[in-house]
Amino acid sequence: MNKNMLCQRAIDALKNSYSPYSNCKVGAALLTESGKIYTGCNIENASFSPTICAERVAFSKAVSEGEHSFTAIAIAGEKSGVLTPFSPCGVCRQVMAEFCNADFKVLVVKTKDEFNEYTLSQLLPNSFNLKEI
Ligand code: THU
C-alpha cells in the first residue's frame, strides 16, 4: 500500500465526519500488516465527552474484527473546508501504543499530495505499557 493512497483514504473518510460542534472534520485510514484498511471519522456529541476521534473509530472497527497488527495510520483533517494538519490527540496516541510498535508510522496529511511522517515513539516517547513493567 502506497503512503499517498493511504492518505487519500483518510481524506475520503473525513466526508462522513459528524462534527456539528467543532466544524472540524477528521478522517483516518488504518493499515493492517496483512494490507487491509480500516477507516474512521470523528463522531461528536452534544454532551461533548462521548465524542470520539477518527483514529479511535478506525482502531475500534479493526480490533472488533479481530485485527491486532498494524503498520501505519493516515490522518486527514479539514477546517472550514480546507485540509489542515491534525496531529493525533494524546488519548489516540495511547490507544496506538496499546496495539502498535515503536516504529508504527503516523502520516499527518498536509495537502492532497503531502504529508508529515512520524513514528509512534516520536509522538509518544517513554509510553506507559503494562507489558514492560
Ligand atoms: N479529532 C480527531 O478526530 N482526531 C484527532 O487526533 C484530533 C481531534 C476531532 C475530535 C473533535 O471532533 C474535533 O476533532 C475537534 O477537536
Side-chain angles (χ1 to χ4, degrees):
M1 163 60 57
N2 169 302
K3 287 175 183 167
N4 284 103
M5 285 165 67
L6 192 65
C7 288
Q8 186 56 52
R9 291 294 299 272
I11 294 170
D12 293 343
L14 70 80
K15 311 269 183 315
N16 289 329
S17 163
Y18 176 76
S19 44
Y21 305 104
S22 74
N23 289 313
C24 294
K25 292 173 181 274
V26 187
L30 176 63
L31 180 64
T32 70
E33 258 174 31
S34 64
K36 280 181 77 174
I37 294 174
Y38 290 85
T39 61
C41 63
N42 57 328
I43 304 171
E44 298 186 344
N45 190 280
S47 182
F48 291 2
S49 62
T51 291
I52 182 165
C53 294
E55 298 92 318
R56 277 177 288 138
V57 171
F59 270 95
S60 299
K61 285 167 69 176
V63 173
S64 66
E65 297 291 325
E67 301 281 358
H68 277 216
S69 301
F70 305 104
T71 55
I73 191 168
I75 304 159
E78 200 180 82
K79 203 162 185 227
S80 308
V82 179
L83 278 176
T84 306
F86 270 59
S87 195
C89 80
V91 175
C92 290
R93 294 177 195 203
Q94 182 65 28
V95 169
M96 291 174 197
E98 185 69 28
F99 296 104
C100 307
N101 297 326
D103 63 352
F104 176 73
K105 306 276 185 295
V106 179
L107 312 177
V108 175
V109 171
K110 285 166 63 182
T111 66
K112 211 176 77 56
D113 309 300
E114 295 171 302
F115 57 86
N116 288 330
E117 181 171 335
Y118 308 94
T119 62
L120 179 56
S121 61
Q122 284 176 309
L123 296 181
L124 192 65
N126 201 20
S127 67
F128 175 70
N129 192 321
L130 278 178
K131 285 168 235 153
E132 284 158 23
I133 58 172

